[in-house]
Amino acid sequence: MNPLGQDLPRRSFLRSGAVGAAALAGAAGLDLRTATAATAAPGAPVATPLVRAGRRTPMAVATGDVTSRSAVLWARAQRPGRLVAEVMSGRRTRRVRGPWATPDSDLTAKIALDGLGPGREHEVRLAFEDEDGHLGGAMRASFRTASLHEAATSFVWAGDTCGQGWGINPDLGGLVGYRAMHETRPDFFVHAGDTIYADGPIQESVTEPDGQVWRNLVIPEVAKVAETLAEFRGRHRYTLLDQNVRAMYAEVPVIAQWDDHETTNNWWPGEVLEDPRYTQERRVDVLAARGRRAWQEYMPIADPRSRGGRDRAADDRGHGFAPARIYRKIERGAHLDVFCLDMRTFKDPNTPGLEQERTSILGTEQVDWLIREVRRSKATWKVISADLPIGVVVPDGPVDQESLANRDPGQPLGKEQEIAAVLSAFKRHGVRNTVWITADVHYCAAHHYSPERAGFTDFDPFWELVAGPIAAGTFGPNELDGTFGPEVVFQKHAAAPNESPRAGNQFFGHVAIDGDGLLTASLRDLTGAVLWSKDLEPERTR
């Protein structure tokens, strides 16, 4: 039984009496022989797919990084073809021919749209044409550009998809946390990292502590840790087997960032793994390049080198993100700018974090960029999406630290010094109305930071809101580091480490900003129920 109980309208979801592995694979356009779920008795016949897409119909579509005047369109083909988009807004319709989807891009393609009208609904038909110009079947996507005026807006965020061996369970309706987020009808979704778990094999079944059997849909690429580019790509295709993910991505623009599990647990540049599961490649720099390329291919994020011209296609492929960057600002109208950080690419090695000298989690260039762009922002609210929390201790083994917190409540040391520089600059320049959001630690929490409780005092109070996992094992709570004075205002966590998603402790965050600028933040569970909520009145810039 689906724990959410209700269906979305026909526009959003394909209705069916039961969701089996064959139906999921058929809807995604995959070979049914490669996707199985441990739900049928051995030797039982495979059910006929409820949806069969044409050979030139996209297997999935998405939009991303939508601003007031721009958006990224994304689709994956089932065979090579050129991506063609028909973009409709009001009475205006235009056709845009994008790049070819080829095996070199794992049959993915993107179009970076510019020159869009602000504050408008856009409907898009995405299809692929062959070498003779014959167009295949189309799939629809939709998005709303941000308004230039002081208009209401909302978004959701979460992280951690298909981790700890908890994958797509057809018995429970798949990744229903995505359905719960979709039902809030947000203007966009921030995936705050761990979009996949490349280092976490998924087996057909897992016996839970109470004896229940969790049954996963599986494909060959999730059977082991990802080492080859094909295996990293397969992890992203696996997520798209889920009908809830596909339906949400077609209607809710994505702002995607990466963390560690897009490559491997707790990694940093230059690391060489000792994990015996890695038999083909243990150099993290090689794995990260492959993981980053696959992530870029499957996330609706434009390569900045493709920007600059009206309807210019994002068709530069084959080299991951080098030399492009992941951190970026997404303007969402008069009331909101979103600053998406990259706390992985420029990270120094994990240590106890007690260095007197400043070490990096953002890197000098990104620190300068963040201070400069937040200072310049004219939006009422500046939401900073960090793929690692600020004051939460995240151990990497018995001594080293994965995040910047180091268990020392005094003055900033090591990586803490970068965040201290950012917070001090915000205070010095009179920046107001910053809210930090994150995921990563697999429980939800609301933390308030204040210099009155801190070892370091040169900053203004702010909130950090933690939400996740959306489809993975639940943990927590973690210890807090007192350097920046965090206080736990609310938290909800697992009863035991690596709690199954069946328990319902899967979380996402929701933010709604009304026309006057009042920001209401809430933390919600797998059913969409509000667990905690806070109204934040905007402060006027001095």
Side-chain angles (χ1 to χ4, degrees), residues 370-371 374 384 422-431 434 436:
L370 180 61
I371 293 170
V374 171
I384 302 170
V422 170
L423 298 178
S424 293
F426 288 174
K427 178 182 178 181
R428 184 168 64 253
H429 295 301
V431 172
T434 61
W436 295 66

Side-chain angles (χ1 to χ4, degrees), residues 263-265 267 270-276 278 281-284 287:
T263 302
T264 191
N265 188 47
W267 72 273
E271 181 183 8
V272 177
L273 300 177
E274 298 179 357
D275 188 335
Y278 290 83
E281 182 58 70
R282 294 190 179 184
R283 294 170 296 172
V284 162
L287 295 171

Side-chain angles (χ1 to χ4, degrees), residues 389-394 405-409 416 441 443 445-449 453 464 466 477-491:
I390 295 174
V392 180
V393 175
V394 185
N406 57 19
R407 288 195 173 96
D408 185 316
E416 291 177 329
V441 290
Y443 67 99
H447 299 145
H448 184 257
Y449 290 75
R453 298 182 294 267
E464 175 187 60
V466 185
N478 289 29
E479 177 186 351
L480 293 184
D481 181 307
T483 296
F484 301 109
E487 176 185 40
V488 177
V489 178
F490 172 84
Q491 63 184 14

